[in-house]
Structures are given as structure tokens and as C-alpha cells.
Amino acid sequence: MSVDVEVEETRTDKRVAAILVSLALAANNAGAYALSIIAARLLAPSAFGELSSLLAVLVIGVVPAMGLQTVVALRVARKPRDSGTLLALGLTTSAIVATIGLLLAPVLVFVLHLDSVVPALLLAVTLGPLTLLGLFHGLLQGSGRFALLAGLMALEGAGKVGGSLVGLLIGGDATGALAGTAIGSYLVIFCGWVLCGRQRPRKAGWHAGEVLHAAQAMLALVLLVNLDLVLARHTLPATEAGEYALGAIVTKIAYWLPQAVGVLVLPRFANGDDRRRILPAALAVCAALDAVVLLVSVVAGPRLLSFIGGSGYAASTMPVWPFALAGSMLALVQILLFSRLAAGDRRVTVLMWTTVVVETVLVTAWLHSSAVQVVTVAACCAGGLALSGAVLELRSRRA
């Protein structure tokens, strides 16, 4: 009887953890969306374009944090008492990322046509704490402290978005917003250090290969989530590209909806036996959640675009379900990617980048006569990548 009670409590804890992490992720995404809306209304179009481009660079710049989080979560799951050495790894990684950001600041001024180098420098200063935040996420995730992880995620959203909004209101431009982002990020880092037990860094071996491998794979995933939108903007007429941007929101919904699954199962993937047992269930949960998005997109059809974007898109006939399918496939890819990273399989990185190249070539060279063609390529590439990842997984089990 007591065993049954204990199992039920464990299941309840997992459900609560999944809900908390899901809510934190949803709040962060909603906060970022709200920041864009408020900035669009407060800033002139040129200033809003400057801020949007810098925030887009920031999204790419935090990819090393994602790689660091993955490596740290897996290491903590395997060796819980290694947090002091991992803190040294995180500090070193964040210092390197911030330094690279500082060195590239003049390049950003030229590429983004900035009036001053100050926003680019603030962006680089912000990359340091945001990279280190990946360490604290990984420490909490790897040790299974998901309630604290959800709390830190919520604080991250409040610090970054809240700081950006305050800076935007005070400064009235991209420089003010990024200054607020930087200050908020450093406050969140302090909270993360406290939540993780106020560890002191201890000298240890530098695991650059692991972090670089994970960061490369995560960068490829981030590119795949956003690549079709960029290619559509480059190849389609402006009006059709605008419709495509709305469809891409459905892709993001399908991709982000099962995010909590990956957060919860990654530490369990550190153990080979657990990974083989849990992976099919994790994929099934992701598929079930995204089946809802796919069903809604099929039933609602193009009417979903007018619901998201307003009456200006009421006449659109573009099908929405391929966008939901593309996002669903990418959600499965993420789970399979975590599994292969946990197994130390470096072939997955080659697969990810090959898919990026294939999708880019297919769209830019041939299949870009309509939005449907572009999203079909994106969905097929994501599906092919998911299938390839599944094949790698099956072969590893038979080896």
C-alpha cells in the first residue's frame, strides 16, 4: 500500500513540475511578445527596427547558454557533487562569450546600421550573465529541482523583460532598453547563484568539446525553427511573406508547447537504461500535445490567420496545418537531439547542420514560388531530420 502511495506521489510531483515549468516558459514567451508590442507603440519605426534586430542577435547570442545548460544538466544528473567545478566552467564560458560579443560590437554597428556602438556594447555585456544563467538552469535541471527551476525561469522573464521595459520607458530608445536588459540579467544571475546554494568555483578540467558540441547542435536547432521565416522573407513577395510570418507563429506554438517535456526528461537521459525506457514515452507526449495544435489548424484552416493577425488577413487562403506539422516535427527533433547529446553521439550535429544546408538550398534555388512550397520544404526537412534521429537511436540500441 505504501509503495502505491509513493508512486502516486511521484507521479503527482512530476505533473506539478511539468505544470510549473510550462507556466514559466509560457510566461517568458508572453513577456517577450508583450515587449515587442509595447516597443512597437512607443518607438518610431526606425528605432523599433533597431531594437528588434538587436534582440534577434541576442537570441542567437544565448545559444552557448543552451549548450552549457544541456552539458551541465547531464553532468549533474550523473555526478551531483560536481557543481563547484561546473561553476568554474560556466564562468569561463560566459567570459568567452562576452569577450567575443565585445570584439564583434563594431561589426554589429556596420551590419545593423546603428548610429552608435553603445547598444552593441550593451548587448555584449548582457551576453555574459545570460550565458551564466544557462549554468544555473542546468544545475537545477540536472538535480531535479524543477520547482526552483520554474521560479528561476520566471525571474529571468521578469528581469529581462521588466528591465527592458523600464529602460525603454526611461531612455526611450534601444540603448535604454538594452541597458535595462543588462541590469535585469545581472540581478537574475545573483538570484540564480543564491538558489543554487551560493557555490564557489573550483578549478577543474575545461570541457570545451562538450559545450561546443552541444552549442553547435542547439544553434542548428534554433536556426531550423526560424530559417523558413527568413527564407520566406527573402524569396516571397512582401504580402505573401507577411502571411507566412503569421503562419510561422503556429510553427512556434507547436514547437514551444511540449518544451516542458524536454526540460523534465533531459536529466533522466543521463542514464542509458533510463534514456531507452523514457524516450518513447517522451516522444509520445510531444506528439499528443502537438496533435491538438495540428487538429485545430486543420479544422480552423485559414481562418486561424485572421484570428491571430486580425481582419486584414480574412481573405487569406493559405493553409495553416503545414506550419503546425513543421513545428511538431521540430519538437520531436529536440527530444531526439537531447537523447543523442546525452549518449555523446556527435553524428547528430552533422545531421542538424546538413538539414540547415538542404533547406536553404531547396528554398533559395527551386521551391519558393509560393508560401505553401516554402513551408512544405520546412516540414519535410524537419520530418526527415526526426526520422534520421530515430534511425540513429534505433541503431544505437542494437549496437
Coordinates of all heavy atoms in Angstrom, one line a residue, residues 176-234:
G176 N 18.4 52.5 -24.1 CA 17.8 52.4 -22.8 C 17.2 51.0 -22.5 O 17.4 50.4 -21.4
A177 N 16.6 50.4 -23.5 CA 16.0 49.1 -23.4 C 17.1 48.0 -23.1 O 16.9 47.2 -22.2 CB 15.2 48.7 -24.6
L178 N 18.2 48.1 -23.8 CA 19.3 47.1 -23.6 C 20.0 47.3 -22.3 O 20.5 46.4 -21.7 CB 20.2 47.2 -24.8 CG 19.7 46.6 -26.1 CD1 20.7 46.8 -27.2 CD2 19.5 45.1 -25.9
A179 N 20.1 48.6 -21.9 CA 20.7 48.9 -20.5 C 19.8 48.2 -19.5 O 20.3 47.6 -18.5 CB 20.8 50.4 -20.3
G180 N 18.5 48.3 -19.6 CA 17.6 47.7 -18.7 C 17.7 46.2 -18.7 O 17.7 45.5 -17.7
T181 N 17.9 45.6 -19.9 CA 18.0 44.2 -20.0 C 19.3 43.7 -19.3 O 19.3 42.7 -18.6 CB 18.1 43.8 -21.5 OG1 17.0 44.3 -22.2 CG2 18.2 42.3 -21.7
A182 N 20.4 44.5 -19.5 CA 21.6 44.1 -18.8 C 21.5 44.1 -17.3 O 21.9 43.2 -16.6 CB 22.8 45.0 -19.3
I183 N 21.0 45.2 -16.8 CA 20.8 45.3 -15.3 C 19.9 44.2 -14.8 O 20.2 43.5 -13.8 CB 20.2 46.7 -15.0 CG1 21.2 47.8 -15.3 CG2 19.9 46.7 -13.5 CD1 20.7 49.2 -15.2
G184 N 18.8 44.0 -15.5 CA 17.9 42.9 -15.0 C 18.5 41.5 -15.1 O 18.3 40.7 -14.2
S185 N 19.4 41.3 -16.1 CA 20.0 40.0 -16.2 C 21.0 39.7 -15.1 O 21.1 38.6 -14.6 CB 20.8 39.9 -17.6 OG 19.8 40.0 -18.6
Y186 N 21.8 40.8 -14.7 CA 22.7 40.6 -13.6 C 22.0 40.3 -12.3 O 22.5 39.6 -11.4 CB 23.6 41.8 -13.5 CG 24.7 41.8 -14.5 CD1 24.7 42.6 -15.6 CD2 25.9 41.1 -14.2 CE1 25.7 42.5 -16.6 CE2 26.9 41.0 -15.1 CZ 26.8 41.8 -16.3 OH 27.9 41.7 -17.2
L187 N 20.8 41.0 -12.1 CA 20.0 40.7 -10.9 C 19.5 39.3 -10.9 O 19.5 38.6 -9.8 CB 18.8 41.7 -10.8 CG 19.2 43.1 -10.6 CD1 17.9 44.0 -10.6 CD2 19.8 43.3 -9.2
V188 N 19.1 38.7 -12.0 CA 18.7 37.4 -12.1 C 19.8 36.4 -11.8 O 19.6 35.4 -11.2 CB 18.1 37.1 -13.5 CG1 17.7 35.6 -13.7 CG2 16.8 37.9 -13.7
I189 N 21.0 36.7 -12.3 CA 22.2 35.9 -12.1 C 22.5 35.8 -10.6 O 22.8 34.7 -10.1 CB 23.4 36.5 -12.8 CG1 23.4 36.1 -14.3 CG2 24.7 35.9 -12.2 CD1 23.3 34.7 -14.6
F190 N 22.3 36.8 -9.8 CA 22.5 36.8 -8.4 C 21.5 35.9 -7.7 O 21.8 35.1 -6.9 CB 22.5 38.2 -7.8 CG 22.6 38.2 -6.3 CD1 23.8 38.0 -5.7 CD2 21.4 38.4 -5.5 CE1 23.9 38.0 -4.3 CE2 21.5 38.4 -4.1 CZ 22.8 38.2 -3.5
C191 N 20.3 36.0 -8.2 CA 19.2 35.1 -7.7 C 19.5 33.7 -8.0 O 19.3 32.8 -7.2 CB 17.8 35.5 -8.2 SG 17.3 37.2 -7.7
G192 N 20.0 33.4 -9.2 CA 20.3 32.0 -9.6 C 21.4 31.5 -8.7 O 21.4 30.3 -8.3
W193 N 22.4 32.3 -8.5 CA 23.5 31.8 -7.6 C 23.0 31.5 -6.2 O 23.5 30.5 -5.6 CB 24.6 32.9 -7.6 CG 25.8 32.6 -6.7 CD1 26.7 31.6 -6.8 CD2 26.1 33.3 -5.4 NE1 27.6 31.7 -5.8 CE2 27.3 32.7 -4.9 CE3 25.6 34.4 -4.8 CZ2 27.9 33.1 -3.8 CZ3 26.2 34.8 -3.6 CH2 27.3 34.1 -3.1
V194 N 22.1 32.3 -5.7 CA 21.6 32.0 -4.3 C 20.7 30.7 -4.4 O 20.9 29.9 -3.5 CB 20.7 33.2 -3.9 CG1 20.0 32.8 -2.6 CG2 21.6 34.4 -3.6
L195 N 19.9 30.6 -5.4 CA 19.0 29.4 -5.5 C 19.8 28.1 -5.6 O 19.4 27.0 -5.1 CB 18.1 29.5 -6.7 CG 16.9 30.5 -6.5 CD1 16.2 30.6 -7.8 CD2 16.0 30.1 -5.4
C196 N 21.0 28.2 -6.2 CA 21.8 27.0 -6.4 C 22.8 26.8 -5.3 O 23.7 25.9 -5.4 CB 22.6 27.2 -7.7 SG 21.6 27.1 -9.2
G197 N 22.6 27.5 -4.2 CA 23.4 27.2 -3.0 C 24.7 28.0 -2.8 O 25.5 27.6 -2.0
R198 N 24.8 29.1 -3.5 CA 25.9 30.0 -3.3 C 27.3 29.3 -3.4 O 28.2 29.4 -2.6 CB 25.9 30.7 -2.0 CG 24.6 31.5 -1.8 CD 24.5 32.3 -0.5 NE 23.3 33.0 -0.3 CZ 23.0 33.8 0.6 NH1 23.9 34.1 1.6 NH2 21.8 34.4 0.7
Q199 N 27.4 28.5 -4.5 CA 28.6 27.7 -4.7 C 29.8 28.6 -5.0 O 29.7 29.7 -5.5 CB 28.4 26.7 -5.8 CG 27.4 25.6 -5.6 CD 27.9 24.5 -4.7 OE1 29.1 24.4 -4.5 NE2 27.0 23.8 -4.0
R200 N 31.0 28.1 -4.6 CA 32.2 28.7 -5.0 C 32.9 27.9 -6.1 O 32.9 26.7 -6.1 CB 33.2 28.8 -3.8 CG 32.7 29.6 -2.6 CD 32.7 31.1 -3.0 NE 32.4 31.9 -1.8 CZ 31.2 32.2 -1.3 NH1 30.1 31.7 -1.9 NH2 31.1 33.0 -0.3
P201 N 33.4 28.6 -7.1 CA 34.1 27.9 -8.2 C 35.3 27.1 -7.8 O 36.1 27.6 -7.0 CB 34.4 29.0 -9.2 CG 34.5 30.3 -8.4 CD 33.5 30.1 -7.3
R202 N 35.5 25.9 -8.3 CA 36.7 25.1 -8.1 C 37.3 24.8 -9.4 O 36.7 24.5 -10.4 CB 36.3 23.8 -7.3 CG 35.7 24.0 -6.0 CD 35.8 22.7 -5.2 NE 35.1 21.7 -5.8 CZ 33.8 21.4 -5.6 NH1 33.1 22.2 -4.8 NH2 33.2 20.4 -6.2
K203 N 38.6 24.9 -9.4 CA 39.4 24.6 -10.6 C 39.2 23.2 -11.1 O 39.2 22.3 -10.3 CB 40.9 24.9 -10.4 CG 41.7 24.8 -11.6 CD 43.2 25.1 -11.3 CE 44.0 25.1 -12.6 NZ 45.4 25.4 -12.4
A204 N 39.0 23.0 -12.4 CA 38.7 21.7 -12.9 C 39.1 21.7 -14.4 O 39.5 22.7 -15.0 CB 37.3 21.3 -12.8
G205 N 39.1 20.5 -15.0 CA 39.3 20.4 -16.4 C 38.3 21.2 -17.3 O 37.2 21.3 -16.9
W206 N 38.8 21.7 -18.4 CA 38.0 22.5 -19.2 C 37.3 21.6 -20.3 O 37.9 21.0 -21.1 CB 38.8 23.6 -19.9 CG 38.2 24.4 -21.0 CD1 38.6 24.5 -22.3 CD2 37.0 25.1 -20.9 NE1 37.8 25.3 -23.0 CE2 36.8 25.7 -22.2 CE3 36.1 25.4 -19.9 CZ2 35.7 26.5 -22.4 CZ3 35.0 26.2 -20.1 CH2 34.8 26.8 -21.4
H207 N 36.0 21.5 -20.2 CA 35.2 20.6 -21.1 C 34.7 21.4 -22.3 O 33.5 21.4 -22.6 CB 34.0 20.0 -20.3 CG 34.4 19.4 -19.0 ND1 35.1 18.2 -18.9 CD2 34.2 19.8 -17.7 CE1 35.3 17.9 -17.7 NE2 34.8 18.8 -16.9
A208 N 35.6 22.0 -23.0 CA 35.3 22.8 -24.1 C 34.6 22.0 -25.2 O 33.6 22.5 -25.9 CB 36.5 23.5 -24.7
G209 N 35.1 20.8 -25.5 CA 34.5 20.0 -26.5 C 33.0 19.7 -26.3 O 32.2 19.8 -27.3
E210 N 32.6 19.4 -25.1 CA 31.2 19.1 -24.8 C 30.4 20.3 -25.0 O 29.3 20.2 -25.6 CB 31.1 18.6 -23.4 CG 31.6 17.2 -23.1 CD 31.4 16.8 -21.7 OE1 30.3 16.5 -21.3 OE2 32.4 16.7 -20.9
V211 N 30.8 21.4 -24.5 CA 30.0 22.6 -24.6 C 29.9 23.1 -26.0 O 28.8 23.4 -26.5 CB 30.6 23.8 -23.7 CG1 29.8 25.0 -23.9 CG2 30.6 23.4 -22.3
L212 N 31.0 23.0 -26.8 CA 31.0 23.4 -28.2 C 30.1 22.5 -29.0 O 29.3 23.0 -29.9 CB 32.4 23.4 -28.7 CG 32.5 23.9 -30.2 CD1 32.1 25.3 -30.4 CD2 34.0 23.7 -30.6
H213 N 30.2 21.2 -28.8 CA 29.3 20.3 -29.5 C 27.8 20.5 -29.2 O 27.0 20.6 -30.2 CB 29.7 18.8 -29.1 CG 28.8 17.8 -29.7 ND1 28.3 16.7 -28.9 CD2 28.2 17.7 -30.9 CE1 27.5 16.0 -29.7 NE2 27.5 16.5 -30.9
A214 N 27.5 20.7 -28.0 CA 26.1 20.9 -27.6 C 25.6 22.3 -28.2 O 24.5 22.4 -28.7 CB 25.9 20.9 -26.1
A215 N 26.5 23.3 -28.1 CA 26.1 24.6 -28.6 C 25.9 24.6 -30.1 O 25.0 25.2 -30.6 CB 27.2 25.6 -28.2
Q216 N 26.8 23.9 -30.8 CA 26.6 23.8 -32.3 C 25.2 23.1 -32.6 O 24.5 23.6 -33.5 CB 27.7 22.9 -32.9 CG 29.0 23.6 -33.0 CD 30.0 22.7 -33.8 OE1 29.8 22.5 -35.0 NE2 30.9 22.1 -33.1
A217 N 24.9 22.1 -31.9 CA 23.7 21.4 -32.2 C 22.5 22.3 -31.9 O 21.5 22.3 -32.6 CB 23.6 20.1 -31.4
M218 N 22.5 22.9 -30.7 CA 21.4 23.8 -30.3 C 21.3 25.0 -31.3 O 20.2 25.5 -31.6 CB 21.6 24.3 -28.9 CG 21.6 23.2 -27.9 SD 20.2 22.1 -27.9 CE 18.9 23.2 -27.5
L219 N 22.4 25.5 -31.8 CA 22.4 26.6 -32.8 C 21.7 26.2 -34.0 O 20.9 26.9 -34.6 CB 23.8 27.1 -33.1 CG 23.9 28.2 -34.1 CD1 23.1 29.4 -33.8 CD2 25.4 28.6 -34.4
A220 N 22.0 25.0 -34.5 CA 21.4 24.4 -35.7 C 19.8 24.3 -35.5 O 19.0 24.6 -36.4 CB 21.9 23.1 -36.1
L221 N 19.4 23.9 -34.3 CA 18.0 23.8 -34.0 C 17.3 25.1 -34.0 O 16.2 25.3 -34.5 CB 17.8 23.1 -32.6 CG 16.4 22.9 -32.1 CD1 15.6 22.0 -33.1 CD2 16.4 22.2 -30.7
V222 N 18.0 26.1 -33.3 CA 17.4 27.5 -33.3 C 17.3 28.0 -34.8 O 16.3 28.6 -35.1 CB 18.3 28.4 -32.5 CG1 17.9 29.9 -32.7 CG2 18.3 28.0 -31.0
L223 N 18.3 27.7 -35.6 CA 18.2 28.2 -37.0 C 17.0 27.5 -37.7 O 16.3 28.1 -38.5 CB 19.5 27.9 -37.7 CG 20.7 28.7 -37.3 CD1 22.0 28.3 -38.1 CD2 20.4 30.2 -37.7
L224 N 16.9 26.2 -37.5 CA 15.8 25.5 -38.2 C 14.4 26.0 -37.7 O 13.5 26.0 -38.6 CB 15.9 24.0 -37.9 CG 17.0 23.2 -38.6 CD1 17.2 21.8 -38.1 CD2 16.7 23.2 -40.1
V225 N 14.3 26.4 -36.5 CA 13.0 26.9 -36.0 C 12.7 28.2 -36.7 O 11.5 28.5 -36.9 CB 13.0 27.1 -34.5 CG1 11.8 27.8 -34.0 CG2 13.1 25.7 -33.8
N226 N 13.7 29.0 -37.1 CA 13.5 30.3 -37.6 C 13.8 30.4 -39.1 O 13.6 31.5 -39.7 CB 14.3 31.3 -36.8 CG 13.9 31.4 -35.4 OD1 12.9 32.1 -35.1 ND2 14.6 30.7 -34.5
L227 N 14.5 29.4 -39.7 CA 15.1 29.5 -41.0 C 14.0 29.7 -42.1 O 14.2 30.6 -43.0 CB 15.9 28.3 -41.3 CG 16.6 28.2 -42.7 CD1 17.6 29.4 -42.8 CD2 17.3 26.9 -42.8
D228 N 12.9 29.0 -42.0 CA 11.9 29.1 -43.1 C 11.3 30.5 -43.2 O 11.0 31.0 -44.2 CB 10.8 28.1 -42.9 CG 10.0 28.3 -41.6 OD1 10.7 28.5 -40.6 OD2 8.8 28.2 -41.6
L229 N 11.2 31.2 -42.0 CA 10.6 32.5 -42.0 C 11.6 33.5 -42.7 O 11.2 34.4 -43.4 CB 10.4 33.0 -40.5 CG 9.8 34.4 -40.3 CD1 8.5 34.6 -41.1 CD2 9.7 34.7 -38.8
V230 N 12.9 33.3 -42.4 CA 13.9 34.2 -43.0 C 13.9 33.9 -44.5 O 14.0 34.9 -45.4 CB 15.3 33.9 -42.4 CG1 16.4 34.7 -43.2 CG2 15.3 34.3 -41.0
L231 N 13.9 32.7 -45.0 CA 13.9 32.3 -46.4 C 12.6 32.8 -47.1 O 12.7 33.3 -48.2 CB 14.0 30.8 -46.5 CG 15.3 30.2 -46.1 CD1 15.3 28.7 -46.2 CD2 16.5 30.7 -46.9
A232 N 11.5 32.8 -46.4 CA 10.3 33.3 -47.0 C 10.3 34.8 -47.2 O 9.9 35.3 -48.2 CB 9.1 32.9 -46.1
R233 N 10.9 35.5 -46.2 CA 11.1 36.9 -46.3 C 12.0 37.3 -47.5 O 11.8 38.3 -48.2 CB 11.7 37.5 -45.0 CG 11.9 38.9 -45.0 CD 10.6 39.7 -44.9 NE 10.8 41.1 -44.9 CZ 9.8 42.0 -44.9 NH1 8.6 41.6 -45.0 NH2 10.1 43.3 -44.9
H234 N 13.0 36.4 -47.7 CA 14.0 36.7 -48.8 C 13.4 36.3 -50.2 O 13.8 37.0 -51.2 CB 15.2 35.8 -48.6 CG 16.3 35.9 -49.6 ND1 17.0 37.1 -49.9 CD2 16.7 35.0 -50.5 CE1 17.8 36.9 -50.8 NE2 17.7 35.7 -51.3

